[in-house]
PDB file of all heavy atoms in Angstrom:
ATOM      1  N   GLN A   2       0.831  -1.213   0.000  1.00 92.00           N
ATOM      2  CA  GLN A   2       0.000   0.000   0.000  1.00 92.00           C
ATOM      3  C   GLN A   2       0.860   1.256   0.000  1.00 92.00           C
ATOM      4  O   GLN A   2       0.553   2.223  -0.707  1.00 92.00           O
ATOM      5  CB  GLN A   2      -0.928  -0.022   1.210  1.00 92.00           C
ATOM      6  CG  GLN A   2      -1.954   1.091   1.235  1.00 92.00           C
ATOM      7  CD  GLN A   2      -2.898   0.974   2.421  1.00 92.00           C
ATOM      8  OE1 GLN A   2      -2.625   0.253   3.368  1.00 92.00           O
ATOM      9  NE2 GLN A   2      -4.001   1.686   2.372  1.00 92.00           N
ATOM     10  N   ARG A   3       1.937   1.246   0.767  1.00 93.00           N
ATOM     11  CA  ARG A   3       2.811   2.415   0.834  1.00 93.00           C
ATOM     12  C   ARG A   3       3.502   2.680  -0.506  1.00 93.00           C
ATOM     13  O   ARG A   3       3.564   3.822  -0.975  1.00 93.00           O
ATOM     14  CB  ARG A   3       3.850   2.222   1.933  1.00 93.00           C
ATOM     15  CG  ARG A   3       4.758   3.450   2.112  1.00 93.00           C
ATOM     16  CD  ARG A   3       5.699   3.287   3.283  1.00 93.00           C
ATOM     17  NE  ARG A   3       6.675   2.229   3.055  1.00 93.00           N
ATOM     18  CZ  ARG A   3       6.649   1.037   3.643  1.00 93.00           C
ATOM     19  NH1 ARG A   3       5.676   0.748   4.485  1.00 93.00           N
ATOM     20  NH2 ARG A   3       7.566   0.133   3.392  1.00 93.00           N
ATOM     21  N   LEU A   4       4.002   1.618  -1.135  1.00 93.00           N
ATOM     22  CA  LEU A   4       4.673   1.790  -2.424  1.00 93.00           C
ATOM     23  C   LEU A   4       3.694   2.282  -3.487  1.00 93.00           C
ATOM     24  O   LEU A   4       4.029   3.154  -4.301  1.00 93.00           O
ATOM     25  CB  LEU A   4       5.303   0.466  -2.862  1.00 93.00           C
ATOM     26  CG  LEU A   4       6.575   0.048  -2.120  1.00 93.00           C
ATOM     27  CD1 LEU A   4       6.990  -1.362  -2.503  1.00 93.00           C
ATOM     28  CD2 LEU A   4       7.713   1.026  -2.404  1.00 93.00           C
ATOM     29  N   ARG A   5       2.492   1.735  -3.491  1.00 92.00           N
ATOM     30  CA  ARG A   5       1.492   2.172  -4.459  1.00 92.00           C
ATOM     31  C   ARG A   5       1.128   3.643  -4.239  1.00 92.00           C
ATOM     32  O   ARG A   5       0.996   4.413  -5.200  1.00 92.00           O
ATOM     33  CB  ARG A   5       0.250   1.290  -4.349  1.00 92.00           C
ATOM     34  CG  ARG A   5      -0.825   1.609  -5.387  1.00 92.00           C
ATOM     35  CD  ARG A   5      -2.020   0.679  -5.207  1.00 92.00           C
ATOM     36  NE  ARG A   5      -1.646  -0.688  -5.473  1.00 92.00           N
ATOM     37  CZ  ARG A   5      -1.597  -1.215  -6.699  1.00 92.00           C
ATOM     38  NH1 ARG A   5      -1.931  -0.478  -7.741  1.00 92.00           N
ATOM     39  NH2 ARG A   5      -1.245  -2.468  -6.881  1.00 92.00           N
ATOM     40  N   GLN A   6       0.973   4.039  -2.992  1.00 92.00           N
ATOM     41  CA  GLN A   6       0.634   5.428  -2.689  1.00 92.00           C
ATOM     42  C   GLN A   6       1.769   6.360  -3.103  1.00 92.00           C
ATOM     43  O   GLN A   6       1.523   7.431  -3.672  1.00 92.00           O
ATOM     44  CB  GLN A   6       0.341   5.570  -1.191  1.00 92.00           C
ATOM     45  CG  GLN A   6      -0.087   6.968  -0.785  1.00 92.00           C
ATOM     46  CD  GLN A   6      -0.415   7.057   0.703  1.00 92.00           C
ATOM     47  OE1 GLN A   6      -0.326   6.067   1.416  1.00 92.00           O
ATOM     48  NE2 GLN A   6      -0.779   8.226   1.147  1.00 92.00           N
ATOM     49  N   GLN A   7       3.002   5.972  -2.831  1.00 92.00           N
ATOM     50  CA  GLN A   7       4.136   6.801  -3.231  1.00 92.00           C
ATOM     51  C   GLN A   7       4.204   6.950  -4.742  1.00 92.00           C
ATOM     52  O   GLN A   7       4.494   8.037  -5.265  1.00 92.00           O
ATOM     53  CB  GLN A   7       5.439   6.185  -2.700  1.00 92.00           C
ATOM     54  CG  GLN A   7       5.600   6.291  -1.199  1.00 92.00           C
ATOM     55  CD  GLN A   7       6.839   5.561  -0.707  1.00 92.00           C
ATOM     56  OE1 GLN A   7       7.493   4.831  -1.461  1.00 92.00           O
ATOM     57  NE2 GLN A   7       7.166   5.746   0.553  1.00 92.00           N
ATOM     58  N   TYR A   8       3.925   5.859  -5.457  1.00 92.00           N
ATOM     59  CA  TYR A   8       3.966   5.919  -6.922  1.00 92.00           C
ATOM     60  C   TYR A   8       2.889   6.868  -7.438  1.00 92.00           C
ATOM     61  O   TYR A   8       3.150   7.680  -8.334  1.00 92.00           O
ATOM     62  CB  TYR A   8       3.762   4.518  -7.493  1.00 92.00           C
ATOM     63  CG  TYR A   8       3.792   4.471  -9.003  1.00 92.00           C
ATOM     64  CD1 TYR A   8       4.993   4.367  -9.691  1.00 92.00           C
ATOM     65  CD2 TYR A   8       2.613   4.550  -9.743  1.00 92.00           C
ATOM     66  CE1 TYR A   8       5.022   4.332 -11.077  1.00 92.00           C
ATOM     67  CE2 TYR A   8       2.637   4.519 -11.128  1.00 92.00           C
ATOM     68  CZ  TYR A   8       3.850   4.402 -11.785  1.00 92.00           C
ATOM     69  OH  TYR A   8       3.874   4.381 -13.154  1.00 92.00           O
ATOM     70  N   GLU A   9       1.687   6.775  -6.899  1.00 90.00           N
ATOM     71  CA  GLU A   9       0.606   7.650  -7.349  1.00 90.00           C
ATOM     72  C   GLU A   9       0.915   9.109  -7.041  1.00 90.00           C
ATOM     73  O   GLU A   9       0.585  10.003  -7.833  1.00 90.00           O
ATOM     74  CB  GLU A   9      -0.706   7.223  -6.690  1.00 90.00           C
ATOM     75  CG  GLU A   9      -1.207   5.863  -7.172  1.00 90.00           C
ATOM     76  CD  GLU A   9      -2.411   5.373  -6.392  1.00 90.00           C
ATOM     77  OE1 GLU A   9      -2.757   6.027  -5.373  1.00 90.00           O
ATOM     78  OE2 GLU A   9      -3.002   4.346  -6.795  1.00 90.00           O
ATOM     79  N   GLU A  10       1.551   9.355  -5.902  1.00 89.00           N
ATOM     80  CA  GLU A  10       1.891  10.735  -5.540  1.00 89.00           C
ATOM     81  C   GLU A  10       2.916  11.329  -6.501  1.00 89.00           C
ATOM     82  O   GLU A  10       2.943  12.547  -6.707  1.00 89.00           O
ATOM     83  CB  GLU A  10       2.420  10.781  -4.113  1.00 89.00           C
ATOM     84  CG  GLU A  10       1.341  10.565  -3.047  1.00 89.00           C
ATOM     85  CD  GLU A  10       1.905  10.498  -1.651  1.00 89.00           C
ATOM     86  OE1 GLU A  10       3.162  10.497  -1.529  1.00 89.00           O
ATOM     87  OE2 GLU A  10       1.119  10.445  -0.693  1.00 89.00           O
ATOM     88  N   LEU A  11       3.765  10.491  -7.088  1.00 87.00           N
ATOM     89  CA  LEU A  11       4.741  10.992  -8.059  1.00 87.00           C
ATOM     90  C   LEU A  11       4.049  11.635  -9.258  1.00 87.00           C
ATOM     91  O   LEU A  11       4.576  12.572  -9.864  1.00 87.00           O
ATOM     92  CB  LEU A  11       5.641   9.853  -8.548  1.00 87.00           C
ATOM     93  CG  LEU A  11       6.647   9.275  -7.551  1.00 87.00           C
ATOM     94  CD1 LEU A  11       7.430   8.151  -8.192  1.00 87.00           C
ATOM     95  CD2 LEU A  11       7.579  10.354  -7.051  1.00 87.00           C
ATOM     96  N   TRP A  12       2.862  11.134  -9.594  1.00 86.00           N
ATOM     97  CA  TRP A  12       2.149  11.654 -10.756  1.00 86.00           C
ATOM     98  C   TRP A  12       1.074  12.662 -10.377  1.00 86.00           C
ATOM     99  O   TRP A  12       0.810  13.610 -11.134  1.00 86.00           O
ATOM    100  CB  TRP A  12       1.522  10.498 -11.534  1.00 86.00           C
ATOM    101  CG  TRP A  12       2.549   9.555 -12.073  1.00 86.00           C
ATOM    102  CD1 TRP A  12       2.884   8.329 -11.591  1.00 86.00           C
ATOM    103  CD2 TRP A  12       3.421   9.784 -13.190  1.00 86.00           C
ATOM    104  NE1 TRP A  12       3.896   7.776 -12.329  1.00 86.00           N
ATOM    105  CE2 TRP A  12       4.246   8.647 -13.330  1.00 86.00           C
ATOM    106  CE3 TRP A  12       3.583  10.832 -14.088  1.00 86.00           C
ATOM    107  CZ2 TRP A  12       5.215   8.533 -14.316  1.00 86.00           C
ATOM    108  CZ3 TRP A  12       4.552  10.724 -15.085  1.00 86.00           C
ATOM    109  CH2 TRP A  12       5.345   9.578 -15.189  1.00 86.00           C
ATOM    110  N   LEU A  13       0.456  12.498  -9.215  1.00 81.00           N
ATOM    111  CA  LEU A  13      -0.582  13.439  -8.807  1.00 81.00           C
ATOM    112  C   LEU A  13      -0.015  14.823  -8.518  1.00 81.00           C
ATOM    113  O   LEU A  13      -0.752  15.820  -8.543  1.00 81.00           O
ATOM    114  CB  LEU A  13      -1.304  12.914  -7.565  1.00 81.00           C
ATOM    115  CG  LEU A  13      -2.175  11.669  -7.776  1.00 81.00           C
ATOM    116  CD1 LEU A  13      -2.737  11.188  -6.446  1.00 81.00           C
ATOM    117  CD2 LEU A  13      -3.294  11.964  -8.756  1.00 81.00           C
ATOM    118  N   SER A  14       1.277  14.897  -8.243  1.00 66.00           N
ATOM    119  CA  SER A  14       1.887  16.190  -7.923  1.00 66.00           C
ATOM    120  C   SER A  14       2.116  17.043  -9.163  1.00 66.00           C
ATOM    121  O   SER A  14       2.525  18.192  -9.054  1.00 66.00           O
ATOM    122  CB  SER A  14       3.216  15.978  -7.195  1.00 66.00           C
ATOM    123  OG  SER A  14       4.087  15.201  -7.992  1.00 66.00           O
ATOM    124  N   LEU A  15       1.863  16.497 -10.351  1.00 62.00           N
ATOM    125  CA  LEU A  15       2.047  17.271 -11.579  1.00 62.00           C
ATOM    126  C   LEU A  15       0.768  18.025 -11.887  1.00 62.00           C
ATOM    127  O   LEU A  15      -0.327  17.481 -11.831  1.00 62.00           O
ATOM    128  CB  LEU A  15       2.403  16.352 -12.747  1.00 62.00           C
ATOM    129  CG  LEU A  15       3.665  15.498 -12.551  1.00 62.00           C
ATOM    130  CD1 LEU A  15       3.890  14.623 -13.765  1.00 62.00           C
ATOM    131  CD2 LEU A  15       4.860  16.378 -12.300  1.00 62.00           C
ATOM    132  N   SER A  16       0.903  19.316 -12.264  1.00 49.00           N
ATOM    133  CA  SER A  16      -0.279  20.140 -12.553  1.00 49.00           C
ATOM    134  C   SER A  16      -0.641  20.058 -14.032  1.00 49.00           C
ATOM    135  O   SER A  16       0.191  19.728 -14.865  1.00 49.00           O
ATOM    136  CB  SER A  16      -0.013  21.599 -12.162  1.00 49.00           C
ATOM    137  OG  SER A  16       1.103  22.094 -12.874  1.00 49.00           O
ATOM    138  N   PRO A  17      -1.892  20.351 -14.391  1.00 48.00           N
ATOM    139  CA  PRO A  17      -2.330  20.218 -15.785  1.00 48.00           C
ATOM    140  C   PRO A  17      -1.672  21.228 -16.709  1.00 48.00           C
ATOM    141  O   PRO A  17      -1.325  22.333 -16.309  1.00 48.00           O
ATOM    142  CB  PRO A  17      -3.840  20.457 -15.724  1.00 48.00           C
ATOM    143  CG  PRO A  17      -4.203  20.489 -14.289  1.00 48.00           C
ATOM    144  CD  PRO A  17      -2.955  20.745 -13.515  1.00 48.00           C
ATOM    145  N   THR A  18      -1.545  20.838 -17.956  1.00 49.00           N
ATOM    146  CA  THR A  18      -1.048  21.737 -18.991  1.00 49.00           C
ATOM    147  C   THR A  18      -2.217  22.323 -19.765  1.00 49.00           C
ATOM    148  O   THR A  18      -3.128  21.609 -20.154  1.00 49.00           O
ATOM    149  CB  THR A  18      -0.133  20.961 -19.960  1.00 49.00           C
ATOM    150  OG1 THR A  18       1.034  20.582 -19.263  1.00 49.00           O
ATOM    151  CG2 THR A  18       0.249  21.801 -21.156  1.00 49.00           C
ATOM    152  N   GLU A  19      -2.172  23.618 -19.980  1.00 49.00           N
ATOM    153  CA  GLU A  19      -3.239  24.281 -20.732  1.00 49.00           C
ATOM    154  C   GLU A  19      -2.890  24.249 -22.220  1.00 49.00           C
ATOM    155  O   GLU A  19      -1.860  24.769 -22.650  1.00 49.00           O
ATOM    156  CB  GLU A  19      -3.386  25.740 -20.272  1.00 49.00           C
ATOM    157  CG  GLU A  19      -3.785  25.879 -18.809  1.00 49.00           C
ATOM    158  CD  GLU A  19      -5.161  25.307 -18.535  1.00 49.00           C
ATOM    159  OE1 GLU A  19      -5.963  25.208 -19.497  1.00 49.00           O
ATOM    160  OE2 GLU A  19      -5.432  24.950 -17.380  1.00 49.00           O
ATOM    161  N   THR A  20      -3.720  23.577 -23.014  1.00 48.00           N
ATOM    162  CA  THR A  20      -3.463  23.488 -24.452  1.00 48.00           C
ATOM    163  C   THR A  20      -4.602  24.085 -25.278  1.00 48.00           C
ATOM    164  O   THR A  20      -4.627  23.962 -26.493  1.00 48.00           O
ATOM    165  CB  THR A  20      -3.278  22.016 -24.860  1.00 48.00           C
ATOM    166  OG1 THR A  20      -4.466  21.304 -24.517  1.00 48.00           O
ATOM    167  CG2 THR A  20      -2.097  21.395 -24.142  1.00 48.00           C
ATOM    168  N   ALA A  21      -5.540  24.739 -24.601  1.00 48.00           N
ATOM    169  CA  ALA A  21      -6.709  25.243 -25.320  1.00 48.00           C
ATOM    170  C   ALA A  21      -6.353  26.368 -26.285  1.00 48.00           C
ATOM    171  O   ALA A  21      -7.057  26.604 -27.269  1.00 48.00           O
ATOM    172  CB  ALA A  21      -7.762  25.717 -24.327  1.00 48.00           C
ATOM    173  N   ASP A  22      -5.262  27.113 -26.012  1.00 56.00           N
ATOM    174  CA  ASP A  22      -4.919  28.260 -26.844  1.00 56.00           C
ATOM    175  C   ASP A  22      -4.083  27.898 -28.050  1.00 56.00           C
ATOM    176  O   ASP A  22      -3.670  28.781 -28.809  1.00 56.00           O
ATOM    177  CB  ASP A  22      -4.157  29.300 -26.003  1.00 56.00           C
ATOM    178  CG  ASP A  22      -5.038  29.852 -24.890  1.00 56.00           C
ATOM    179  OD1 ASP A  22      -6.274  29.835 -25.078  1.00 56.00           O
ATOM    180  OD2 ASP A  22      -4.495  30.284 -23.865  1.00 56.00           O
ATOM    181  N   ILE A  23      -3.795  26.624 -28.266  1.00 61.00           N
ATOM    182  CA  ILE A  23      -3.002  26.243 -29.421  1.00 61.00           C
ATOM    183  C   ILE A  23      -3.839  26.435 -30.679  1.00 61.00           C
ATOM    184  O   ILE A  23      -4.973  25.947 -30.753  1.00 61.00           O
ATOM    185  CB  ILE A  23      -2.546  24.777 -29.317  1.00 61.00           C
ATOM    186  CG1 ILE A  23      -1.641  24.607 -28.098  1.00 61.00           C
ATOM    187  CG2 ILE A  23      -1.819  24.342 -30.569  1.00 61.00           C
ATOM    188  CD1 ILE A  23      -1.170  23.195 -27.898  1.00 61.00           C
ATOM    189  N   PRO A  24      -3.321  27.132 -31.675  1.00 63.00           N
ATOM    190  CA  PRO A  24      -4.096  27.353 -32.904  1.00 63.00           C
ATOM    191  C   PRO A  24      -4.477  26.031 -33.562  1.00 63.00           C
ATOM    192  O   PRO A  24      -3.789  25.018 -33.431  1.00 63.00           O
ATOM    193  CB  PRO A  24      -3.120  28.152 -33.786  1.00 63.00           C
ATOM    194  CG  PRO A  24      -2.145  28.759 -32.824  1.00 63.00           C
ATOM    195  CD  PRO A  24      -2.020  27.793 -31.705  1.00 63.00           C
ATOM    196  N   GLU A  25      -5.586  26.067 -34.305  1.00 67.00           N
ATOM    197  CA  GLU A  25      -6.075  24.861 -34.965  1.00 67.00           C
ATOM    198  C   GLU A  25      -5.050  24.313 -35.943  1.00 67.00           C
ATOM    199  O   GLU A  25      -4.895  23.098 -36.096  1.00 67.00           O
ATOM    200  CB  GLU A  25      -7.385  25.181 -35.698  1.00 67.00           C
ATOM    201  CG  GLU A  25      -8.018  23.975 -36.376  1.00 67.00           C
ATOM    202  CD  GLU A  25      -8.378  22.879 -35.389  1.00 67.00           C
ATOM    203  OE1 GLU A  25      -8.671  23.214 -34.219  1.00 67.00           O
ATOM    204  OE2 GLU A  25      -8.348  21.695 -35.780  1.00 67.00           O
ATOM    205  N   ALA A  26      -4.317  25.217 -36.600  1.00 64.00           N
ATOM    206  CA  ALA A  26      -3.295  24.756 -37.543  1.00 64.00           C
ATOM    207  C   ALA A  26      -2.225  23.926 -36.847  1.00 64.00           C
ATOM    208  O   ALA A  26      -1.711  22.956 -37.402  1.00 64.00           O
ATOM    209  CB  ALA A  26      -2.653  25.954 -38.241  1.00 64.00           C
ATOM    210  N   VAL A  27      -1.910  24.339 -35.617  1.00 68.00           N
ATOM    211  CA  VAL A  27      -0.894  23.588 -34.870  1.00 68.00           C
ATOM    212  C   VAL A  27      -1.466  22.250 -34.416  1.00 68.00           C
ATOM    213  O   VAL A  27      -0.760  21.231 -34.420  1.00 68.00           O
ATOM    214  CB  VAL A  27      -0.404  24.410 -33.660  1.00 68.00           C
ATOM    215  CG1 VAL A  27       0.613  23.619 -32.842  1.00 68.00           C
ATOM    216  CG2 VAL A  27       0.203  25.723 -34.128  1.00 68.00           C
ATOM    217  N   ARG A  28      -2.745  22.237 -34.049  1.00 69.00           N
ATOM    218  CA  ARG A  28      -3.356  20.975 -33.633  1.00 69.00           C
ATOM    219  C   ARG A  28      -3.264  19.926 -34.742  1.00 69.00           C
ATOM    220  O   ARG A  28      -3.107  18.739 -34.479  1.00 69.00           O
ATOM    221  CB  ARG A  28      -4.824  21.199 -33.258  1.00 69.00           C
ATOM    222  CG  ARG A  28      -5.019  22.016 -32.000  1.00 69.00           C
ATOM    223  CD  ARG A  28      -6.501  22.176 -31.690  1.00 69.00           C
ATOM    224  NE  ARG A  28      -6.703  23.032 -30.535  1.00 69.00           N
ATOM    225  CZ  ARG A  28      -6.645  22.625 -29.278  1.00 69.00           C
ATOM    226  NH1 ARG A  28      -6.388  21.357 -29.036  1.00 69.00           N
ATOM    227  NH2 ARG A  28      -6.825  23.463 -28.286  1.00 69.00           N
ATOM    228  N   ARG A  29      -3.343  20.383 -35.973  1.00 70.00           N
ATOM    229  CA  ARG A  29      -3.259  19.447 -37.092  1.00 70.00           C
ATOM    230  C   ARG A  29      -1.867  18.839 -37.216  1.00 70.00           C
ATOM    231  O   ARG A  29      -1.700  17.817 -37.878  1.00 70.00           O
ATOM    232  CB  ARG A  29      -3.634  20.162 -38.398  1.00 70.00           C
ATOM    233  CG  ARG A  29      -5.090  20.584 -38.472  1.00 70.00           C
ATOM    234  CD  ARG A  29      -5.353  21.376 -39.738  1.00 70.00           C
ATOM    235  NE  ARG A  29      -4.987  20.615 -40.927  1.00 70.00           N
ATOM    236  CZ  ARG A  29      -4.903  21.144 -42.142  1.00 70.00           C
ATOM    237  NH1 ARG A  29      -5.154  22.438 -42.320  1.00 70.00           N
ATOM    238  NH2 ARG A  29      -4.576  20.399 -43.174  1.00 70.00           N
ATOM    239  N   MET A  30      -0.897  19.465 -36.594  1.00 75.00           N
ATOM    240  CA  MET A  30       0.471  18.940 -36.668  1.00 75.00           C
ATOM    241  C   MET A  30       0.764  17.921 -35.577  1.00 75.00           C
ATOM    242  O   MET A  30       1.848  17.337 -35.543  1.00 75.00           O
ATOM    243  CB  MET A  30       1.488  20.098 -36.534  1.00 75.00           C
ATOM    244  CG  MET A  30       1.329  21.184 -37.564  1.00 75.00           C
ATOM    245  SD  MET A  30       2.479  22.532 -37.240  1.00 75.00           S
ATOM    246  CE  MET A  30       1.732  23.838 -38.214  1.00 75.00           C
ATOM    247  N   LEU A  31      -0.181  17.731 -34.662  1.00 73.00           N
ATOM    248  CA  LEU A  31       0.053  16.849 -33.525  1.00 73.00           C
ATOM    249  C   LEU A  31      -0.618  15.512 -33.768  1.00 73.00           C
ATOM    250  O   LEU A  31      -1.727  15.432 -34.283  1.00 73.00           O
ATOM    251  CB  LEU A  31      -0.487  17.478 -32.238  1.00 73.00           C
ATOM    252  CG  LEU A  31       0.046  18.865 -31.908  1.00 73.00           C
ATOM    253  CD1 LEU A  31      -0.651  19.396 -30.664  1.00 73.00           C
ATOM    254  CD2 LEU A  31       1.554  18.838 -31.703  1.00 73.00           C
ATOM    255  N   ALA A  32       0.064  14.465 -33.362  1.00 69.00           N
ATOM    256  CA  ALA A  32      -0.487  13.118 -33.532  1.00 69.00           C
ATOM    257  C   ALA A  32      -1.549  12.867 -32.478  1.00 69.00           C
ATOM    258  O   ALA A  32      -1.411  13.267 -31.324  1.00 69.00           O
ATOM    259  CB  ALA A  32       0.616  12.078 -33.430  1.00 69.00           C
ATOM    260  N   SER A  33      -2.619  12.188 -32.869  1.00 62.00           N
ATOM    261  CA  SER A  33      -3.622  11.777 -31.890  1.00 62.00           C
ATOM    262  C   SER A  33      -3.137  10.544 -31.166  1.00 62.00           C
ATOM    263  O   SER A  33      -2.124   9.944 -31.528  1.00 62.00           O
ATOM    264  CB  SER A  33      -4.943  11.477 -32.606  1.00 62.00           C
ATOM    265  OG  SER A  33      -4.746  10.422 -33.548  1.00 62.00           O
ATOM    266  N   GLU A  34      -3.906  10.162 -30.103  1.00 49.00           N
ATOM    267  CA  GLU A  34      -3.524   8.960 -29.351  1.00 49.00           C
ATOM    268  C   GLU A  34      -3.614   7.734 -30.250  1.00 49.00           C
ATOM    269  O   GLU A  34      -4.587   7.526 -30.956  1.00 49.00           O
ATOM    270  CB  GLU A  34      -4.461   8.784 -28.144  1.00 49.00           C
ATOM    271  CG  GLU A  34      -4.301   9.852 -27.096  1.00 49.00           C
ATOM    272  CD  GLU A  34      -3.034   9.685 -26.294  1.00 49.00           C
ATOM    273  OE1 GLU A  34      -2.347   8.675 -26.474  1.00 49.00           O
ATOM    274  OE2 GLU A  34      -2.720  10.582 -25.499  1.00 49.00           O
TER     275      GLU A  34
END
C-alpha cells in the first residue's frame, strides 16, 4: 500500500497543462492517441 501510494503521488503532484490556446493549424500537426 505504501509503495502504491508513493507511486501515485509521483504523478498526482504534476499540474495540468493548458493546451486550449493552441491554434487549430498547430493541432493538425500533432499526432492523436
Side-chain angles (χ1 to χ4, degrees):
Q2 187 177 16
R3 183 175 67 254
L4 286 172
R5 184 180 295 277
Q6 183 178 0
Q7 289 175 351
Y8 180 85
E9 292 173 352
E10 288 175 354
L11 290 179
W12 297 103
L13 291 175
S14 58
L15 302 179
S16 59
T18 292
E19 298 296 337
T20 59
D22 296 334
I23 297 179
E25 182 61 29
V27 178
R28 292 181 184 276
R29 293 176 57 192
M30 303 176 198
L31 305 176
S33 60
E34 293 286 354

